[in-house]
Amino acid sequence: MADLIEEDDVMVNITLQMIGPSPRSRLTLPSSIKVKELRKLIGGTSHLPVENMKLVFRGNVLHDTINGDDLFVQLHDGDSVIVAIKPKPPAKHILHSFDDDDDGEDIKIELTEPTSRWKRRLFFILRDKLKLPDMLLMAIFSLGIKIWAAIVLWFILAPVANRFDVGPLYIIGTGFLIIFYNLGHRQPGDVSAYSVFNEDFRELPGTLNADRLDRDIRLGQF
């Protein structure tokens, strides 16, 4: 705890009120502290699992972060913090027996630590404030900056194409561009699935063509 205390910190005594048969306890700590550090201190002194701990202070549940930023809590002498431990989930073999028919389990998306600050803030705004579904968030954050720039440019140019009556050509051309963009690049020595692109029109092994089909029919192998 010493590494959490600074020289100008004011120390206060708070009461920890456990949910359950555990007795109340007291804890001395700085008056201003990060919620996640408070959680670690309570877990260390009370030997409780931090990952399943829920803290309630003055009627509000304490969260570690908001929009990716650490939250602080201001404490005073005599304050009480309610500590509740969420029950552990059932064993996997028991859980699977109830979830065999539930193939549509929600997909959860979490950002990795190296993610930039602005991207984390945007993620929390879209998820917590706008309540966008995780599948949509996954689609949004899986695209790079260049792809998003191309999408924005496409929507900017779409009204222009419609004004000059070339909207259908604009959409068809976009489809061809997407196809060519996703064709990829062959490495030296790679053989294309289309024989017309290969030297001497060489086919991939096992390719079914009219000559082979005719030969198999004549030999009675079809």
Side-chain angles (χ1 to χ4, degrees):
M1 179 177 172
D3 57 341
L4 302 177
I5 303 175
E6 299 181 0
E7 294 181 359
D8 55 349
D9 278 340
V10 177
M11 305 302 294
V12 296
N13 293 309
I14 65 171
T15 301
L16 302 179
Q17 184 176 350
M18 309 292 179
I19 300 296
S22 301
R24 293 186 179 186
S25 60
R26 297 188 65 82
L27 183 64
T28 302
L29 71 172
S31 59
S32 180
I33 188 173
K34 292 181 180 179
V35 175
K36 65 179 181 181
E37 300 296 347
L38 173 61
R39 196 184 306 275
K40 292 179 182 179
L41 287 177
I42 296 176
T45 56
S46 304
H47 305 289
L48 298 173
V50 176
E51 60 276 5
N52 294 332
M53 183 185 301
K54 179 176 290 188
L55 304 179
V56 180
F57 180 60
R58 296 178 181 172
N60 298 315
V61 177
L62 298 180
H63 299 283
D64 292 351
T65 60
I66 182 171
N67 296 336
D69 298 326
D70 292 331
L71 290 180
F72 284 78
V73 59
Q74 187 68 38
L75 303 170
H76 300 88
D77 261 327
D79 281 340
S80 295
V81 176
I82 299 176
V83 182
I85 301 298
K86 295 185 292 186
K88 294 182 179 179
K92 289 186 177 180
H93 66 279
I94 300 177
L95 187 62
H96 290 332
S97 65
F98 289 100
D99 291 346
D100 285 341
D101 298 331
D102 188 13
D103 296 332
E105 185 177 357
D106 293 337
I107 300 176
K108 299 298 182 183
I109 176 175
E110 295 292 341
L111 294 181
T112 56
E113 288 300 327
T115 307
S116 59
R117 183 181 181 86
W118 70 267
K119 185 177 289 188
R120 293 185 64 85
R121 184 175 295 275
L122 177 61
F123 171 77
F124 285 111
I125 291 175
L126 295 178
R127 188 190 66 177
D128 299 335
K129 294 186 178 181
L130 299 183
K131 305 297 183 182
L132 295 184
D134 288 333
M135 287 296 295
L136 181 57
L137 291 174
M138 185 179 298
I140 292 174
F141 286 92
S142 61
L143 301 179
I145 298 297
K146 294 182 179 179
I147 300 298
W148 276 113
I151 293 174
V152 172
L153 181 62
W154 189 92
F155 279 103
I156 292 175
L157 296 178
V160 178
N162 184 56
R163 184 182 305 172
F164 289 97
D165 295 328
V166 291
L169 292 178
Y170 184 73
I171 295 176
I172 294 174
T174 302
F176 279 109
L177 285 176
I178 294 174
I179 292 173
F180 282 112
Y181 180 79
N182 289 280
L183 286 179
H185 300 280
R186 283 192 296 158
Q187 300 297 327
D190 289 347
V191 181
S192 172
Y194 302 97
S195 59
V196 294
F197 296 111
N198 297 327
E199 186 178 358
D200 298 328
F201 300 99
R202 184 159 55 98
E203 298 177 348
L204 292 176
T207 301
L208 181 63
N209 54 35
D211 292 337
R212 180 168 299 178
L213 184 61
D214 180 68
R215 184 178 66 250
D216 290 344
I217 292 175
R218 292 177 183 276
L219 296 178
Q221 298 178 358
F222 184 74

